């Protein structure tokens, strides 16, 4: 085998695919029945960020876990709970900068968001509408199935590659050159959270959901799947009041 010295650095698709809950492809939901009492009874609300000014303490608690923001995302040992906590903290930081009250972490919303991210990852699709032949549940139906009531609900989704660059060598046997992967460059949990949030905040629809003063609670869920032979993280934010 003749190994040529040429090395090619290939960038994996890094574009953030985003969806927003809007009437054309599902918008924010307002419950026709149930009211605020029903919304408050359904789902378990856990205040992880209870008021502006404690973001540094919350992030410190996250940093004290075994995983840190500087750790590279590993699709074989993915810490979706950790990434979800980073996204949640950064969401409230964005609201704090605009003088808005923080969102409360809701475990029921977490479960619904995680289930949707996991379904998209395992069945290789990206949509606010659950993939199916006979049934295609939207956000409202997923919340109902998860036992989470609401008077208004909204959703943001994103997808981001685990591998941001691949390193190849060109080698050949005889006269037949071929490309051989010799290395990969990943992304840290902190950088992925920052880039996903940056993409959402630059998109009017997603920014509107994040900064909606009428929404009070948030759930976040992440999962890893393979798309076009590359590992991707699927992220879902579910909001409600």
């Amino acid at each position: 085998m003749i190994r040529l010295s040429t090395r090619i650095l290939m960038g994996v698709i890094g574009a953030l695919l985003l969806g927003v809950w809007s009437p054309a492809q599902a918008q924010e939901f307002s419950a026709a029945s149930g009211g605020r009492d029903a919304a408050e009874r359904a789902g378990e609300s856990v205040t992880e960020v209870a008021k502006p000014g404690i973001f540094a303490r919350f992030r410190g608690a996250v940093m004290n876990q075994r995983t840190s923001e500087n750790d590279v995302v590993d699709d074989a040992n993915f810490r979706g709970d950790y990434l979800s906590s980073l996204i949640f903290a950064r969401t409230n930081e964005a609201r704090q900068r605009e003088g808005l009250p923080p969102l409360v972490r809701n475990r029921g919303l977490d479960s619904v968001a995680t289930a949707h991210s996991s379904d998209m990852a395992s069945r290789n699709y990206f949509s606010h509408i659950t993939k199916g032949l006979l049934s295609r549940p939207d956000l409202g139906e997923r919340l109902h199935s998860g036992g989470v009531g609401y008077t208004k609900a909204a959703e943001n989704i994103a997808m981001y590659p685990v591998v941001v660059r691949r390193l190849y060598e060109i080698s050949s046997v005889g006269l037949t050159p071929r490309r051989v992967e010799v290395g990969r460059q990943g992304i840290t949990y902190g950088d992925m959270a920052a880039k996903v949030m940056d993409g959402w905040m630059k998109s009017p629809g997603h920014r509107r959901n994040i900064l909606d003063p009428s929404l009070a609670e948030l759930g976040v869920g992440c999962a890893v799947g393979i798309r076009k032979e590359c590992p991707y993280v699927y992220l879902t934010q579910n909001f409600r009041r």
Side-chain angles (χ1 to χ4, degrees):
M1 179 179 74
I2 301 174
R3 175 166 290 186
L4 305 180
S5 60
T6 305
R7 287 194 166 194
I8 303 175
L9 196 62
M10 300 292 291
V12 177
I13 297 175
L16 197 64
L17 299 179
L18 301 165
V20 67
W21 198 249
S22 59
Q25 60 170 93
Q27 189 185 47
E28 56 187 28
F29 253 68
S30 293
S33 61
R36 190 168 186 77
D37 291 340
E40 291 173 348
R41 287 196 302 270
E44 177 189 0
S45 296
V46 179
T47 305
E48 292 196 358
V49 178
K51 59 184 178 180
I54 71 168
F55 299 108
R57 295 203 300 276
F58 176 79
R59 180 162 298 175
V62 173
M63 290 291 286
N64 287 333
Q65 299 178 15
R66 292 183 179 179
T67 306
S68 80
E69 293 190 29
N70 295 324
D71 286 344
V72 175
V73 177
D74 179 3
D75 57 294
N77 187 30
F78 179 59
R79 283 293 310 278
D81 56 343
Y82 180 76
L83 182 58
S84 295
S85 293
L86 291 180
I87 293 291
F88 178 77
R90 282 166 165 74
T91 299
N92 271 337
E93 288 169 359
R95 288 174 66 91
Q96 184 187 38
R97 286 192 294 270
E98 299 297 323
L100 296 170
L103 297 165
V104 173
R105 190 82 182 258
N106 181 286
R107 296 304 185 189
L109 289 174
D110 277 347
S111 296
V112 174
T114 301
H116 188 54
S117 290
S118 297
D119 191 59
M120 290 191 292
S122 64
R123 297 201 289 150
N124 193 24
Y125 72 98
F126 184 68
S127 173
H128 290 287
I129 308 300
T130 303
K131 184 178 180 180
L133 294 176
L134 300 179
S135 175
R136 293 169 53 84
D138 57 23
L139 172 60
E141 292 170 296
R142 289 195 300 271
L143 291 174
H144 179 74
S145 296
V148 179
Y150 62 91
T151 56
K152 180 180 180 181
E155 178 175 84
N156 286 342
I157 59 175
M159 183 176 67
Y160 208 87
V162 172
V163 178
V164 293
R165 289 187 184 275
R166 289 183 170 185
L167 183 64
Y168 294 92
E169 283 187 350
I170 303 299
S171 61
S172 64
V173 176
L175 299 177
T176 306
R178 62 192 182 93
R179 190 175 67 173
V180 179
E181 183 178 325
V182 295
R184 294 184 174 190
Q185 178 185 338
I187 184 170
T188 66
Y189 282 95
D191 284 347
M192 181 175 286
K195 289 181 181 297
V196 168
M197 283 299 301
D198 183 62
W200 277 336
M201 292 302 288
K202 288 179 178 177
S203 166
H206 301 88
R207 179 184 177 89
R208 183 169 57 250
N209 287 342
I210 290 170
L211 301 181
D212 188 337
S214 70
L215 295 171
E217 298 179 347
L218 171 64
V220 185
C222 308
V224 170
I226 303 299
R227 190 180 184 93
K228 297 181 179 179
E229 300 182 356
C230 295
Y232 276 79
V233 174
Y234 293 75
L235 307 98
T236 303
Q237 285 184 313
N238 285 160
F239 305 82
R240 80 161 186 177
R241 73 174 182 207

